[in-house]
Amino acid sequence: MEPPNHPIDRSRGRARGLAAVLATVLATATAVSAGLAMPAQAASTLKASAEAKGRYFGTALTRGDLGISAEVNLAAAQFDMVTPGNEMKWDATEPSRGSFNFGSGDQIVSFAQSHGMRVRGHNLVWHAQLPSWVSSLPLNQVQGVMENHITTEATHYKGKVYAWDVINEPYNEDGTLRQDVFYKAMGADYIANALRAAHAADPDAKLYINDYNIEGTNAKSNALYSLAQSLLSRGVPLHGIGFESHFIVGQIPSSLQANMQRFANLGLDVAITELDDRIPMPADSSELQQQGTDYGKVVNACLAVARCVGVSQWGVDDGHSWIPGTFPGYGAPMMWDSGYQPKPAYTAALNALNSVPDTSPSPTPPTSPSPTPPTSPSPSPTPPVTGACTATLTTVNSWPGGFQSEVTVRAGGSAVNGWTVKWTWPGGQTISSLWNGTQSVSGSSVTVRNAAYNGSVAAGASTTFGFTANGAAATPALTCTSP
Ligand code: XIL
């Protein structure tokens, strides 16, 4: 399944009114409250439920999608992460040499920011949607051009993206690297060169290699696993692996969870980055049920791997998916139908999220070092939303001598523009690494302020930051203020 070399505008479709979205939300709430046994405080949107598990739930949006109010309203209600469908790819951002255009990508970023959503940058180096001026360069110019492209784009979006798919789809199915212009010019080193350039431009972004048909254990994922080991052993800044997950109904690899876990065990984040589950058309009700089973399996696999940071669906509704245009005869791959009604897949995904206790996103203990389950109950009690913002800490992982926590910052009745979270450690804990915020420490007092890209939080919406720390897992009382 080779993605096409040129963009298809998948943004066509009927704009529906707000009424359709409200109907969806109501139908969703009804479906959730009617048939499903769920914990007392089950969240009613994908993002709220994912956040309670220290994860995000994302979607891809194109600039065309932004003009379809029913679609974007649904996206804003359900998702807290956005991947631009096409707008940050090379053909969009540097259509001719040295001439950069970030207008469309910027529109996606500002949509995300104004709805309290984060952004996965997608992508910097890919053999497809690559302008012909790049693929026909003299080989001795390719490295310079590639590094200039990465530096310019990653600098433009510095502080605005949570992660970058630095390298997209580098592998053939047999586990050899594609012989694209980057490989021809630099050999396999193009990957390390690209990661280093991206890290220099935006040291805070998580840097990913992203590919498809690597979800299960196979020749392609084995090759990527060896490459990841090699890059990490050489100190190359690789932080995560993206599993695209363009599935066919009924064909979720049984090794999905174990395969993600082995990458996580290398010390990498893992993410489901482009989930869809296509059905031979017309889809019948048993296929739609099977699709629900599939979505549940994928969400459960992510929840079972402590370093799985989130799941992103590649689009919102069946009416605007790339699938029918790329895989003729297939369709209906999304969690909502073309009338924006939730399908069994939506209920299954939400149910999977809600069936895991908030206190521990991972039913399996962490694998290293010397695993023990979290030692104290978390999160700390959810505070009432009365002031400008509240902050809730969840321990997502712990091990002897250390732990990992996620803090959800939620705006009260009005939007906040900038937030500050403070706490005091009870027992000498120290933060070893913190993301999605900036910290200052004085003795046992910690102050975390928003990062450049997550300070604006809409009324009632939330954002998160996280950290790893040394010491015994603790759930101190947090205060949140907004200037
Ligand atoms: C797809 C887009 O959704 C389409 O609009 C475009 O025509 C082709 O690319 N793998 C990826 C994504 O990494 O960038 C692709 O997106 C889907 C496959």
Side-chain angles (χ1 to χ4, degrees), residues 1-11 60 62 83-86 89 122-123 126 128-129 165 168-169 210-212 244 246 273-274 276 314-315 320-323 326-327:
M1 67 134 266
E2 174 92 4
N5 281 320
H6 30 74
I8 302 166
D9 183 2
R10 303 297 309 148
S11 62
T62 63
T83 307
N86 288 309
K89 294 172 181 175
H122 176 81
N123 56 58
W126 187 24
Q129 291 179 260
D165 290 327
N168 203 43
E169 304 185 345
N210 186 56
D211 213 329
Y212 64 88
E244 289 187 11
H246 295 293
T273 52
E274 304 183 11
D276 47 32
W314 198 245
H320 303 96
S321 163
W322 72 306
I323 289 293
T326 306
F327 300 94

Side-chain angles (χ1 to χ4, degrees), residues 21-22 91 98 117 124 139 153 156 162 194 223 298 306 336 358 368 381 429 433 454 456-457 474:
V21 173
L22 290 174
D91 59 356
M117 303 157 105
L124 294 171
L139 291 182
E153 180 157 6
H156 179 82
Y162 159 73
V298 174
W336 287 270
D358 286 2
S368 68
Q429 291 85 352
S433 169
N454 64 359
S456 300
V457 184

Side-chain angles (χ1 to χ4, degrees), residues 81-84 88 105 109 113 117-122 124 153-165 198 202-207 436 451-454:
M81 182 72 79
V82 177
T83 307
M88 292 187 184
V109 171
Q113 288 179 336
M117 303 157 105
R118 291 184 288 165
V119 175
R120 291 193 84 259
H122 176 81
L124 294 171
E153 180 157 6
T155 301
H156 179 82
Y157 289 113
K158 179 172 153 60
K160 296 180 177 169
V161 297
Y162 159 73
W164 268 113
D165 290 327
D202 186 352
D204 294 328
K206 302 278 186 194
L207 304 184
N436 296 340
Y453 53 87
N454 64 359

